[in-house]
Amino acid sequence: MAALEQLTAYEEDAVRAIAAASDAAAIELVRIEFLGKKRGRLKDLQALLGQVSAEDRPVLGKRFNDVKSRVEQACADRQTALSKPARSIAGIDVTLPGSPLRLGRIHPLTQTIDEFREIMGQLGFTSADGPEIEDEFHNFEALNIPQDHPARDPLENFYLAAAAAAHGPRLLRSQTSTVQIRVMEQRPPPVRIVSIGRVYRPDDVDATHSCMFHQMEGLMVDRHVTMADLKTVLRLFATAYLGADVHVRFRPSFFPFTEPSVEVDMRWQDRWLELGGAGMVDPNVLRAVGYDPDEVTGFAFGLGVERFCMRRHGVDDIRRFYENDVRFLRQF
Ligand code: DAH
């Protein structure tokens, strides 16, 4: 019976084409060819069925339905299989979850420094940098620190033995005040800069001391700069960083490079914190860089970066910043 043979041929062709379809687009084309309702090979078979004799029709009709549903099923199975990702490629089960990638974070001190620069930038202070290996002129002499001052004791500083022979005495800078000199040497007033960076002192390491830490140095020199400007800038800075009104207090003090000099304290959440030193730039310092102290005045300050950051985040030990313990660092 020609119709039966045609049904068999149809099924064989369909099964082969379904197996050969290698992606979702291909199986869709196969489906349209073999099962399409408007045209396609199934339509042709249906037309053929209409022409067979009445006694053959029940047998052929049943056979037609069986073949059709088998092809439909095979097509649907292949479609499902092709829409799933391959489970295994070269023996690797690609459906297993991957190992999570841990993203790094910006170190809390770097975050603090970036924020300090941003706040001071809004107050008109541009960022300046200086070397961490310094000569005695920039670390001491130009800052009006005389030869016999205790801060120059070799035991209070990290002198570099190797550099001395070739270049004269060199040390790791003990304060960022060096950058005041480097900036003023290079440009005439007015000056309004901050410099944030590392300083080094051979202190005994404990919860509040480290032999390396960070300072933010500020310097403003112009006509008619006063201590009121200094206090305003420090209060605006502390308030911007801590997000609430902060009281700033000056205590009389002494630094060779400022006159008068003060210690700066800040009161926040009912506790006082020592921030660092400040004052009006000593006329000797202005003269050392070729500025005229009768023309311009200036203020300067040097604040501890770690202290601020510890206070804001409730960190109780400065050493945590340098230990690289990711359990600590991941919290910021
Ligand atoms: N350089 C000082 C220190 O490290 C801090 C300091 C005090 C900086 C007074 C200043 C200043 O600019 O005016 O202890």
Side-chain angles (χ1 to χ4, degrees), residues 237-254:
F237 166 73
T239 296
Y241 180 65
L242 293 169
D245 200 23
V246 176
H247 294 275
V248 167
R249 169 173 83 182
F250 284 172
R251 277 179 292 124
S253 184
F254 173 78

Side-chain angles (χ1 to χ4, degrees), residues 42-95:
L42 200 65
K43 266 313 249 187
D44 300 342
L45 286 174
Q46 245 169 341
L48 194 71
L49 219 58
Q51 292 161 19
V52 298
S53 61
E55 71 235 49
D56 286 344
R57 196 168 293 151
V59 181
L60 267 175
K62 180 168 188 318
R63 178 96 177 128
F64 174 87
N65 286 335
D66 290 350
V67 166
K68 181 177 171 233
S69 62
R70 278 203 298 272
V71 171
E72 275 172 351
Q73 190 58 48
C75 197
D77 288 351
R78 187 80 186 135
Q79 259 168 336
T80 315
L82 286 174
S83 67
K84 269 198 216 135
R87 242 186 118 68
S88 166
I89 295 172
I92 298 166
D93 185 345
V94 295
T95 64

Side-chain angles (χ1 to χ4, degrees), residues 85-205:
R87 242 186 118 68
S88 166
I89 295 172
I92 298 166
D93 185 345
V94 295
T95 64
L96 285 176
S99 15
L101 267 189
R102 269 227 179 98
L103 286 185
R105 285 169 184 275
I106 296 176
H107 191 280
L109 286 178
T110 309
Q111 289 185 32
T112 307
I113 289 168
D114 290 347
E115 206 172 324
F116 282 13
R117 282 213 185 92
E118 175 75 29
I119 295 169
M120 293 308 292
Q122 284 168 4
L123 295 173
F125 289 74
T126 52
S127 182
D129 271 322
E132 289 179 25
I133 296 175
E134 266 296 6
D135 52 43
E136 294 188 299
F137 177 76
H138 291 93
N139 203 84
F140 302 121
E141 273 144 41
L143 288 161
N144 204 30
I145 304 175
Q147 189 68 53
D148 56 356
H149 193 280
R152 292 183 70 158
D153 189 327
L155 294 176
E156 297 293 322
N157 295 283
F158 288 111
Y159 273 90
L160 303 175
H167 311 283
R170 289 286 188 283
L171 70 160
L172 296 178
R173 67 179 180 194
S174 61
Q175 49 184 351
T176 45
S177 303
T178 54
V179 186
Q180 292 185 29
I181 304 302
R182 292 204 170 263
V183 168
M184 289 191 287
E185 278 174 336
Q186 303 240 319
R187 42 179 127 141
V191 166
R192 214 195 280 200
I193 57 107
V194 278
S195 184
I196 310 177
R198 299 188 190 96
V199 297
Y200 302 85
R201 292 178 196 176
D203 282 337
D204 287 335
V205 176

Side-chain angles (χ1 to χ4, degrees), residues 174-177 180 201 213 215 217-218 255 257-258 261-262 276-281 299-303:
S174 61
Q175 49 184 351
T176 45
S177 303
Q180 292 185 29
R201 292 178 196 176
F213 59 98
Q215 285 186 330
E217 192 80 15
F255 297 100
F257 35 92
T258 43
S261 304
V262 293
M280 299 304 292
V281 181
F299 68 69
F301 59 83
L303 313 181

Side-chain angles (χ1 to χ4, degrees), residues 1-9 48 59-60 63:
M1 196 192 312
L4 253 184
E5 275 156 27
Q6 285 203 32
L7 269 174
T8 308
L48 194 71
V59 181
L60 267 175
R63 178 96 177 128

